[in-house]
Amino acid sequence: MPTKKMPVKKLLLAGAGHAHIGLLRRRCMTPSIKLDITLISAQPQFVYSGMLPGWMAGHYTLDNIRIDIKSLCSQAGVRFIQQPITAVDAKSQQVMTTDDRHYSYDVLSLNTGADTDMRWSHNAETSSVIAIRPLSEFITHWQQILTDARQSKKYQLAIIGAGAAAIELVMAAQVALQQINTNHQVTLVCGEHLLSGFNPRFQQRVMKQLHRHGIKMVQERATDYRDGQLSTATDSLTMDTVIAATGVMGSAWTAATDLQTIDNGFIAVNALQQSVSHPNVFAVGDVATRVDEDMAHSGVHAVRGGAIEADNLLAYLRGEPMQNYQPKTRTLYLLSCGDKYAIGSWGRFSVQGRWVWYLKRQIDKRFINTK
């Protein structure tokens, strides 16, 4: 009797983050397992957030910080669908997109990222606040900011946030705007807890760099923005533009899913980066939160956790054992300071200098240019 052919399994990749880029690159090199793979992404290109401040400050072109996902899919033999997803029905194993189409899967991997947390104010006209995410939209907004700044005698920009991303943005923005006109000014509205989680020496180094750039700091929480006025607990600041880099919250589509979520819309996953409610669904990066360990949403975990998740996807499809992602107790963090200067943190230790920026550039370019 002829051997019965096993049906080809459908692997659906939703989003184009670090994990899926790694999987596509591996597929190009070693297409060892027969799969029907589809990748759905709102954009045909991936913008690398680690190099975004460098682009803002004029050190990189857009092509320097982007990966062509559509082309990578073509090379890997993966079907590419350019649509934002709107819902995931894990019971019926389907993903819905904005054009009302449904895509079925046997195994689903979620690497869609998250939305900017805009809950810093219940009253703000958030439509007039520029969110750092999605990055593709922010890029368009930043280009318009530069255009407006060239036509202004004194452009006032505020960036809201207290984390490393906000710090990098504010220094890159100050460098870019000062190159246009030295009267232009960027203000960091950061509340009282700047860079919480980093060691005091690192925080001190960052503060000195903020002062070196002449960045104004308001260590109060922003509460409202309307009619060009950014309000804090005790003051009202006149601003041409406000950018929010206020952390992340679950993507809007997570409101329409039967996957278990926690912490305001993040997909709940275990140490395997596997959904705790549906074992044939995996999630990694900002879209997911570990239920077994307190782990921050960061680029470090997106990259390292993404590599484990990609391995586990293939192992799951083969019926092989999977591995846990165990975050390291100490990780190297490199924070760019706008003008080809950077600060590095490793546990309790920190360093700074132009050589740190060039080290960061080398690491970033290696990720972008890996084939």
Side-chain angles (χ1 to χ4, degrees):
M1 293 181 64
T3 304
K4 185 177 180 180
K5 290 186 177 181
M6 296 295 291
V8 177
K9 291 184 178 180
K10 291 182 178 180
L11 171 60
L12 185 57
L13 309 176
H18 296 85
H20 291 170
I21 288 171
L23 192 62
L24 291 173
R25 286 170 168 169
R26 184 182 310 181
R27 184 76 176 175
C28 291
M29 299 297 293
T30 56
S32 57
I33 180 170
K34 192 171 183 181
L35 294 168
D36 179 4
I37 308 178
T38 299
L39 186 144
I40 302 175
S41 173
Q43 299 294 330
Q45 294 181 316
F46 166 85
V47 178
Y48 181 39
S49 60
M51 297 177 78
L52 183 72
W55 169 75
M56 291 171 61
H59 307 314
Y60 303 118
T61 67
L62 268 181
D63 286 341
N64 292 149
I65 70 169
R66 295 190 298 199
I67 295 173
D68 189 336
I69 298 299
K70 187 175 181 179
S71 175
L72 195 54
C73 283
S74 178
Q75 295 171 40
V78 172
R79 186 183 303 108
F80 175 77
I81 305 295
Q82 186 180 343
Q83 287 288 333
I85 72 170
T86 56
V88 173
D89 187 334
K91 183 178 180 180
S92 65
Q93 298 186 180
Q94 290 189 325
V95 170
M96 282 66 82
T97 55
T98 53
D99 57 354
D100 294 326
R101 296 193 64 180
H102 293 208
Y103 297 89
S104 61
Y105 63 83
D106 294 307
V107 177
L108 171 65
S109 178
L110 297 165
N111 195 196
T112 60
D115 294 337
T116 301
D117 189 347
M118 302 295 281
R119 295 170 299 167
W120 50 272
S121 173
H122 297 294
N123 302 316
E125 297 174 353
T126 53
S127 61
S128 61
V129 176
I130 297 173
I132 186 61
R133 295 167 183 269
L135 295 181
S136 57
E137 293 182 13
F138 175 78
I139 282 173
T140 301
H141 286 301
W142 179 249
Q143 291 169 327
Q144 184 60 52
I145 287 172
L146 294 181
T147 298
D148 294 343
R150 292 187 186 102
Q151 300 170 359
S152 173
K153 294 181 179 179
K154 189 174 182 179
Y155 195 86
Q156 298 287 326
L157 170 66
I159 294 179
I160 304 173
I167 299 297
E168 287 193 309
L169 287 177
V170 78
M171 286 195 271
Q174 181 79 338
V175 167
L177 294 183
Q178 289 273 300
Q179 288 174 347
I180 295 172
N181 188 328
T182 56
N183 288 326
H184 294 346
Q185 181 65 52
V186 182
T187 300
L188 176 65
V189 182
C190 56
E192 298 178 357
H193 304 291
L194 186 68
L195 290 173
S196 61
F198 287 89
N199 69 75
R201 179 59 177 151
F202 181 82
Q203 293 172 342
Q204 291 168 8
R205 290 182 186 271
V206 170
M207 288 293 291
K208 288 182 179 179
Q209 293 303 310
L210 291 170
H211 291 312
R212 178 173 70 86
H213 282 296
I215 293 166
K216 292 182 179 179
M217 290 184 59
V218 177
Q219 292 191 277
E220 295 180 2
R221 179 178 176 178
T223 58
D224 192 14
Y225 180 60
R226 63 182 67 241
D227 300 325
Q229 296 296 310
L230 176 62
S231 299
T232 67
T234 63
D235 203 356
S236 181
L237 311 171
T238 300
M239 292 293 158
D240 294 291
T241 305
V242 173
I243 295 173
T246 44
V248 294
M249 62 184 297
S251 296
W253 68 262
T254 60
T257 184
D258 52 349
L259 292 166
Q260 184 173 330
T261 61
I262 57 175
D263 299 337
N264 299 298
F266 296 104
I267 305 303
V269 297
N270 57 25
L272 303 170
Q273 299 297 147
Q274 182 181 39
S275 166
V276 297
S277 61
H278 295 79
N280 66 330
V281 177
F282 294 78
V284 71
D286 284 341
V287 72
T289 290
R290 287 272 292 271
V291 298
D292 62 314
E293 187 161 352
D294 185 15
M295 198 164 65
H297 292 267
S298 74
V300 171
H301 298 309
V303 173
R304 293 179 177 168
I308 297 295
E309 193 257 13
D311 287 339
N312 284 346
L313 270 177
L314 298 177
Y316 181 86
L317 286 160
R318 295 187 181 109
E320 298 172 354
M322 295 182 285
Q323 57 183 320
N324 293 342
Y325 169 50
Q326 186 61 46
K328 296 181 178 179
T329 55
R330 292 190 300 177
T331 57
L332 177 64
Y333 193 93
L334 303 175
L335 184 144
S336 61
C337 299
D339 55 351
K340 295 188 178 181
Y341 196 91
I343 305 171
S345 172
W346 173 260
R348 294 180 301 164
F349 303 99
S350 64
V351 292
Q352 66 184 56
R354 293 195 175 279
W355 70 271
V356 181
W357 188 87
Y358 282 101
L359 173 63
K360 175 175 167 51
R361 183 181 72 164
Q362 183 179 9
I363 293 170
D364 290 340
K365 290 181 71 175
R366 186 185 304 147
F367 171 73
I368 287 288
N369 296 326
T370 299
K371 302 300 183 184

